[in-house]
Amino acid sequence: MIDFQPIFQAVRQAAVLCQQVQEHYLISNDKGGHEPVTIADYGAQAILSRCISLHFPDDAILAEEQGGQFMELVAEDQRKEVIRLISQILGITVTQVDVVKWLDYGQNREASRMWVIDPIDGTKGYISMRNYAIAVGLMVDRKPVGGIIGAPAYPGGAQLFHAQSGNAYMQPLQGGAVKRVHVSASTNAASLRALESVEKSHANHDRMQHVREVAGLGEAELIHIDSMEKYARIAAGDAELYLRLPRIGSTRPFMIWDHCAGTAIVEAAGGKVTDVDGSPLDYSSGKTLKNQGIVVSNGAIHDRVIAAVQKILTEEA
Ligand code: AMP
Ligand code: MG
């Protein structure tokens, strides 16, 4: 069994960096398409990828950020600031060459074992001081089999979730007792909690409301949160449904790093993660998933939600 302890430590270090940037140096740059990126995205990925390069040097990495972008998009004084923070947090002297090398480490390589990094998932939430996640997924032969999610803004205190060998766990992000988690068994609409993105541009809120109504879940409490923390809440039994249906006509693909760790953790907690037709998400190649939407649930309500999505897709066609 792979030892996740070094990754847990790297996620904790990345979370410290994210918090320090959020408190003292928050400036965002535009990656294009109005997608923001901050020095914390690069700093956190450098810490996570460095850890994998040290402990699993032959593995492949699929990660959101790139060294070239760090050099092009980030002003020199900001680069110096994040390099100083990485050095301080790791307790070693780090150079710009190191950071660029770590950012790109293991990328453009295919190997049976592939780590999937989203250093800050929900960057818009992070910038707005809402929820965000630090995510490391693990694929073996392109199937999500493990994952780690740091959730610094989890209700009740920062948490670290992980899935390994078919079981899901949570522990306080800063360390403490590790406990197994399992999805909620609830099917009673009035007591269900449904999750969706805060950002209206990320998913079509009206379509998803329609699905919940057709599925008989219109009474469910609706909670808007950013990031893969949505997967963590389903795994922990703190919510039962997470829908992600794109705007009609959207051609924007789903990125593997936005879903890999979450998929592994929810499945290990006994939940379901599927495409709109109930089939598993397709992680088989490249950086994008080949599916139409994402339905995440506690399992018990899955079939009725898929039936409702299918009915609405037929009506829309
Ligand atoms: P969430 O916080 O769950 O809404 O999702 C965050 C993720 O949404 C980010 O990691 C992006 O990859 C993705 N994203 C950003 N902009 C868009 C968009 N216009 N449409 C769909 N997804 C987006
Ligand atoms: Mg993301």
Side-chain angles (χ1 to χ4, degrees):
M1 196 166 73
I2 300 173
D3 181 8
F4 275 3
Q5 289 303 329
I7 316 268
F8 293 164
Q9 194 199 1
V11 171
R12 291 187 174 112
Q13 290 167 331
V16 170
L17 183 136
C18 290
Q19 195 184 345
Q20 295 206 3
V21 170
Q22 210 176 28
E23 284 172 10
H24 303 292
Y25 320 97
L26 198 52
I27 302 171
S28 87
N29 297 291
D30 191 342
K31 262 199 295 196
H34 303 291
E35 235 190 290
V37 64
T38 73
I39 54 171
D41 294 74
Y42 295 110
Q45 181 168 315
I47 289 173
L48 296 166
S49 294
R50 167 184 176 268
C51 171
I52 291 163
S53 77
L54 291 174
H55 295 275
F56 310 100
D58 299 327
D59 291 3
I61 295 180
L62 183 62
E64 179 163 11
E65 316 302 344
Q66 314 294 326
Q69 275 188 344
F70 176 62
M71 296 303 294
E72 279 162 35
L73 292 179
V74 183
E76 192 182 350
D77 61 327
Q78 289 180 54
R79 271 185 264 137
K80 283 200 173 130
E81 198 56 66
V82 75
I83 292 164
R84 191 188 64 74
L85 272 174
I86 298 169
S87 303
Q88 185 198 314
I89 290 166
L90 296 179
I92 56 174
T93 305
V94 170
T95 65
Q96 183 165 277
V97 172
D98 293 329
V99 171
V100 170
K101 182 186 71 188
W102 293 333
L103 284 169
D104 291 338
Y105 191 87
Q107 297 213 50
N108 303 313
R109 184 194 285 176
E110 283 285 333
S112 168
R113 213 158 62 194
M114 182 178 259
W115 299 88
V116 181
I117 301 177
D118 193 340
I120 299 185
D121 179 50
T123 305
K124 290 171 191 163
Y126 170 73
I127 291 169
S128 306
M129 311 297 270
R130 300 187 307 245
N131 302 70
Y132 65 99
I134 297 163
V136 181
L138 175 61
M139 295 200 288
V140 172
D141 299 332
R142 284 275 177 174
K143 296 241 163 30
V145 298
I148 300 111
I149 293 181
Y154 204 83
Q159 298 293 332
L160 180 66
F161 292 83
H162 78 279
Q164 191 165 29
S165 306
N167 294 321
Y169 307 86
M170 75 190 280
Q171 58 186 299
L173 181 58
Q174 294 320 324
V178 180
K179 64 173 192 190
R180 267 193 72 181
V181 291
H182 206 271
V183 292
S184 127
S186 185
T187 57
N188 170 21
S191 66
L192 295 185
R193 294 147 298 180
L195 309 176
E196 64 186 24
S197 291
V198 173
E199 299 289 334
K200 289 198 171 70
S201 59
H202 291 188
N204 186 323
H205 287 188
D206 293 339
R207 277 179 105 188
M208 299 188 295
Q209 179 62 29
H210 195 185
V211 167
R212 287 188 297 269
E213 281 164 8
V214 171
L217 305 175
E219 293 171 81
E221 179 189 358
L222 180 58
I223 303 165
H224 291 100
I225 53 166
D226 306 277
S227 86
M228 252 184 274
E229 188 181 312
K230 294 189 275 300
Y231 283 98
R233 291 203 196 183
I234 303 275
D238 289 333
E240 287 77 21
L241 178 65
Y242 162 27
L243 283 176
R244 196 173 186 100
L245 300 181
R247 287 163 296 145
I248 293 171
S250 168
T251 53
R252 187 193 165 99
F254 296 93
M255 307 311 295
I256 282 182
W257 50 73
D258 286 335
H259 302 283
C260 181
T263 298
I265 291 171
V266 166
E267 288 181 349
K272 274 193 120 175
V273 181
T274 72
D275 197 347
V276 292
D277 61 358
S279 62
L281 302 184
D282 181 354
Y283 286 90
S284 63
S285 65
K287 296 181 175 182
T288 60
L289 293 166
K290 318 286 177 281
N291 47 281
Q292 305 304 308
I294 296 176
V295 180
V296 184
S297 84
N298 64 350
I301 59 167
H302 210 82
D303 289 350
R304 66 200 263 201
V305 175
I306 295 295
V309 176
Q310 287 301 311
K311 183 160 184 283
I312 282 158
L313 292 179
T314 309
E315 279 169 20
E316 284 171 0

